[in-house]
Amino acid sequence: MSDSSMVHNGTVADITLHGLKIALHEDSGQCSSCSIKSFCKPHEHDKDNRNIIDVTISATDKFSIGDEVTVYCSERQQTAAMILSLALPCLLLVAAVLTALAADISEGKSACCGLAVTVAYYALLYAFRRKLRKRFNRMKICHRLS
């Protein structure tokens, strides 16, 4: 695990067939200083309003509910997620607008073309969300805290 990995402490909230559900501690990781923290917050919360993430592992029998663990995600995965979610849509938007302007389409219609391309891109991401989730849901447990 490198120094630039995203690291969080959490508690095992549930054990499933394919892995664990980890309730992240609010004071863990570098979320408070992260400039894009609003983009990566999980949608699932537990009764204490803590964020829940899924960690896919095969040896679920080594853990029990309530175990304190540390999970991490590599810098490479973080970079790939940032490119897919932020950089690529911006590039597509600019490319679509410039292409439409080069084709002598009015500025208003060019802007609409850029927005349409961006909406189509996010629709594709949504359509392939299960496949992307498998690729990017590779948080790993580096050790137990207790």
Side-chain angles (χ1 to χ4, degrees):
M1 182 172 61
S2 69
D3 290 339
S4 57
S5 295
M6 180 177 57
V7 180
H8 290 286
N9 294 328
T11 305
V12 176
D14 193 15
I15 300 172
T16 64
L17 291 174
H18 304 290
L20 306 172
K21 289 189 179 284
I22 307 292
L24 299 178
H25 298 165
E26 286 198 25
D27 59 344
S28 71
Q30 304 93 3
C31 288
S32 60
S33 63
C34 183
S35 60
I36 57 159
K37 63 184 172 187
S38 62
F39 288 102
C40 69
K41 289 289 185 186
H43 296 291
E44 192 175 347
H45 300 282
D46 67 356
K47 64 180 187 258
D48 298 325
N49 206 25
R50 294 182 297 178
N51 294 319
I52 302 287
I53 60 167
D54 293 321
V55 178
T56 305
I57 61 169
S58 57
T60 58
D61 57 336
K62 295 180 181 179
F63 297 93
S64 59
I65 294 176
D67 284 350
E68 299 286 325
V69 295
T70 300
V71 295
Y72 74 96
C73 179
S74 70
E75 180 182 12
R76 183 176 179 184
Q77 267 195 308
Q78 293 173 52
T79 303
M82 290 297 301
I83 289 170
L84 275 177
S85 64
L86 299 173
L88 197 53
C90 287
L91 290 175
L92 288 172
L93 175 77
V94 170
V97 170
L98 292 178
T99 302
L101 287 172
D104 285 334
I105 296 175
S106 70
E107 290 179 3
K109 289 180 182 178
S110 296
C112 288
C113 288
L115 289 175
V117 167
T118 306
V119 168
Y121 174 76
Y122 280 116
L124 275 173
L125 281 183
Y126 183 78
F128 291 104
R129 68 188 178 278
R130 288 183 184 94
K131 191 174 225 177
L132 288 168
R133 186 178 298 137
K134 287 179 185 176
R135 179 172 181 208
F136 287 103
N137 190 13
R138 296 207 177 129
M139 298 282 291
K140 295 184 176 32
I141 296 177
C142 54
H143 67 277
R144 263 189 234 196
L145 298 175
S146 56

